[in-house]
């Protein structure tokens, strides 16, 4: 069967741990979209890791790890990640990279930096990983597909020259920078070709056979629903679809092959970068939650930036799960909330004096104020608990209250950073 693990919110929900955990029973893990602009933090017997491009299945020797055609492939980053995990004793993973995947070029990062600097205070909060320029080129049909690297140099030189006509015009006249060095770009493509050659494959053909053989395939998404360019908080979104439905396109499999969609949502809210965030909190309240949160504080796995913090948002999460088509919800980092006497939960928005439980478009979202219900805390440590019925009563009530509000079944509860800190439950929905 094919399962998708995706984010229901702004990203940073804890998808890496859930994928790493589910990989125990998987044959293949596929990263299907996004680039090195976000990371998955994983804690296991080898240590603590922040993966940005490699699939989360790389810690399992039995898994084939695939980078699908929907990914923005940063070759330097993936080379560095492989070196990092192997230096910590992780066996070299089985890795396949789609021949239809496209490459993040050095000038994509350069253009990302230049544009963020030009926009100054009105920037999009980019991680400056080259993602937006990369996807712009992909859809403008001037990107470099992995398969193209294996053509003759004369063909590559001609394409480089054509690309540089456009790029140099912008670099020189808009950003006041030097033009690109075409010989250097050709040498870079040679280096990429040499590194990628052992991993390149017809991934969609491989996955088609795996589906026919009823192998278990995990599709691993990056970021979350609210960062989707179509359905998120546009324009403060990413540049590739974060929805499970895109998993079929980004991996090259039939959409009907996806039979389970696990939407991951935190037991509170957090976000990195700019954009609307209705249940956001500030000051000492936010600092305390940030310090206690995650698996060592709430800081971006890619940027190291302090995450913006907030209480659980049922409006955003219900919307996020609906757009993902969630069959299951994984409720992450619940153990963090054990210090609180009371826990606010955002159950609705007030917009122009009217209350709604439906997630609006961005210009309406800007005016939204959170409507809270306050639940009693459980004031105890819940790490190490394996059975749902052993959780404190107020903890179970918190889970069940949120499940009723969002209308999607919470079947997995993460109560610690380790892959074994998980509780399974049968939902009443």
């Amino acid at each position: 069967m094919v399962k998708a693990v995706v984010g229901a919110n702004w990203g940073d929900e804890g998808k890496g741990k859930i994928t790493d955990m589910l990989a125990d029973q998987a044959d293949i893990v596929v990263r299907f979209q996004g680039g090195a602009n976000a990371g998955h933090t994983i804690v296991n017997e080898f240590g603590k890791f922040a993966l940005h491009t490699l699939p989360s299945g790389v810690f399992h020797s039995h898994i084939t790890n695939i980078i699908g055609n929907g990914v923005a492939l940063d070759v330097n980053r993936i080379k560095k990640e492989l070196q990092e995990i192997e230096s910590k004793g992780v066996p070299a993973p089985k890795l396949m990279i789609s021949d239809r995947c496209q490459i993040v070029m050095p000038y994509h990062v350069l253009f990302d930096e230049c544009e963020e600097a030009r926009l100054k205070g009105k920037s999009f909060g980019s991680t400056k990983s080259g993602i937006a320029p990369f996807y712009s080129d992909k859809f403008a049909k001037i990107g470099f597909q992995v398969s193209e690297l294996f053509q003759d140099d004369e063909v590559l030189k001609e394409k480089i020259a054509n690309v540089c006509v456009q790029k140099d015009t912008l670099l020189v006249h808009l950003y006041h920078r030097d033009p690109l060095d075409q010989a250097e770009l050709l040498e870079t493509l040679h280096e990429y070709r040499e590194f990628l050659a052992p991993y390149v494959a017809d991934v969609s053909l491989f996955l088609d056979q795996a589906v026919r053989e009823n192998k278990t395939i995990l599709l691993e998404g990056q970021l979350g629903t609210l960062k989707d360019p179509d359905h998120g908080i546009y324009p403060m979104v990413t540049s590739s679809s974060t929805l499970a439905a895109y998993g079929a396109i980004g991996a090259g499999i039939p959409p009907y092959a996806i039979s389970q969609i696990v939407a991951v949502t935190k037991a509170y809210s957090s976000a990195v970068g700019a954009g609307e965030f209705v249940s956001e909190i500030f000051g000492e309240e936010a600092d305390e939650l940030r310090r206690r949160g995650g698996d060592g504080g709430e800081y971006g796995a890619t940027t190291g930036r302090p995450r913006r913090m907030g209480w659980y948002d049922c409006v955003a999460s219900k919307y996020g799960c609906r757009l993902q088509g969630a069959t299951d919800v994984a409720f992450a980092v619940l153990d963090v909330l054990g210090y609180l006497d009371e826990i606010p939960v955002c159950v609705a928005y007030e917009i122009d004096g009217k209350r709604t439980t439906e997630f609006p478009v961005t210009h309406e979202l800007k005016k939204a104020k959170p409507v809270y219900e306050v639940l009693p805390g459980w004031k105890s440590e819940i790490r190490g608990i394996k059975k749902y019925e052993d959780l404190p009563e107020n903890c179970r009530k918190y889970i069940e209250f949120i499940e009723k509000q969002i209308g999607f079944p919470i079947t997995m509860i993460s109560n610690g950073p380790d892959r074994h800190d998980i509780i399974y439950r049968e939902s009443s929905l």
Side-chain angles (χ1 to χ4, degrees), residues 147-218:
S147 61
E148 292 181 89
L149 299 184
F150 300 91
Q151 300 177 107
D152 293 337
D153 273 4
E154 292 308 309
V155 178
L156 291 175
K157 286 178 182 177
E158 182 180 358
K159 181 163 184 176
I160 289 170
N162 288 334
V163 169
C164 286
V165 169
Q166 181 190 108
K167 300 302 177 188
D168 288 347
T169 301
L170 289 171
L171 278 173
V172 173
H173 298 290
L174 178 61
Y175 299 122
H176 309 294
R177 305 290 286 266
D178 293 332
L180 298 171
D181 185 326
Q182 295 187 28
E184 187 177 308
L185 287 174
L186 180 63
E187 182 58 33
T188 296
L189 293 180
H190 287 166
E191 292 172 5
Y192 290 173
R193 178 174 64 197
E194 183 179 358
F195 171 76
L196 293 171
Y199 305 111
V200 177
D202 185 341
V203 160
S204 67
L205 183 62
F206 175 83
L207 290 174
D208 176 70
Q209 187 61 34
V211 170
R212 292 174 188 275
E213 294 174 359
N214 203 30
K215 296 285 182 69
T216 299
I217 301 168
L218 288 185

Side-chain angles (χ1 to χ4, degrees), residues 28 34 53 93 115-116 135 167 174 185 234 254 309 313 370 389:
I28 299 165
T53 303
E115 183 63 5
E116 286 289 290
Y135 280 108
K167 300 302 177 188
L174 178 61
L185 287 174
Y234 188 86
M309 306 304 297
D313 188 332
E389 56 269 24

Side-chain angles (χ1 to χ4, degrees), residues 91-307:
K94 299 174 185 174
L95 180 65
M96 293 176 65
I97 297 174
S98 173
D99 53 6
R100 296 179 183 273
C101 195
Q102 292 203 14
I103 297 167
V104 177
M105 296 293 290
Y107 53 76
H108 290 139
V109 177
L110 174 61
F111 273 89
D112 206 351
E113 293 169 349
C114 288
E115 183 63 5
E116 286 289 290
R118 186 185 73 83
L119 292 171
K120 296 181 180 177
K122 295 183 179 180
S123 72
F124 294 104
S126 169
T127 61
K128 300 175 186 175
S129 303
I131 303 305
F134 163 86
Y135 280 108
S136 296
D137 280 5
K138 179 175 180 176
F139 292 107
K141 298 176 283 293
I142 56 171
F144 282 89
Q145 202 173 71
V146 167
S147 61
E148 292 181 89
L149 299 184
F150 300 91
Q151 300 177 107
D152 293 337
D153 273 4
E154 292 308 309
V155 178
L156 291 175
K157 286 178 182 177
E158 182 180 358
K159 181 163 184 176
I160 289 170
N162 288 334
V163 169
C164 286
V165 169
Q166 181 190 108
K167 300 302 177 188
D168 288 347
T169 301
L170 289 171
L171 278 173
V172 173
H173 298 290
L174 178 61
Y175 299 122
H176 309 294
R177 305 290 286 266
D178 293 332
L180 298 171
D181 185 326
Q182 295 187 28
E184 187 177 308
L185 287 174
L186 180 63
E187 182 58 33
T188 296
L189 293 180
H190 287 166
E191 292 172 5
Y192 290 173
R193 178 174 64 197
E194 183 179 358
F195 171 76
L196 293 171
Y199 305 111
V200 177
D202 185 341
V203 160
S204 67
L205 183 62
F206 175 83
L207 290 174
D208 176 70
Q209 187 61 34
V211 170
R212 292 174 188 275
E213 294 174 359
N214 203 30
K215 296 285 182 69
T216 299
I217 301 168
L218 288 185
L219 303 178
E220 180 180 23
Q222 179 217 48
L223 293 169
T225 308
L226 304 181
K227 289 294 184 178
D228 184 79
D230 289 293
H231 298 283
I233 51 172
Y234 188 86
M236 300 301 183
V237 294
T238 192
S239 302
S240 64
S241 178
T242 61
L243 302 184
Y246 187 75
I249 298 169
I253 59 173
Y256 55 77
I258 303 173
S259 57
Q260 184 181 15
I261 298 170
V262 179
V264 185
T265 178
K266 271 180 178 162
Y268 52 92
S269 296
S270 71
V272 168
E276 281 58 46
F277 185 5
V278 175
S279 67
E280 186 171 10
I281 58 176
F282 304 92
E284 291 182 9
E285 189 176 47
D287 289 341
E288 181 73 0
L289 183 56
R290 183 181 299 111
R291 183 179 67 81
R292 293 174 176 269
D295 51 18
E298 287 286 359
Y299 299 90
T302 299
T303 62
R305 290 184 293 190
R307 290 183 178 131

Side-chain angles (χ1 to χ4, degrees), residues 7 78 91 122 168 284 315 351 373 412:
I78 199 168
K122 295 183 179 180
D168 288 347
E284 291 182 9
V315 179
I351 303 173
E373 285 196 31
M412 305 171 205

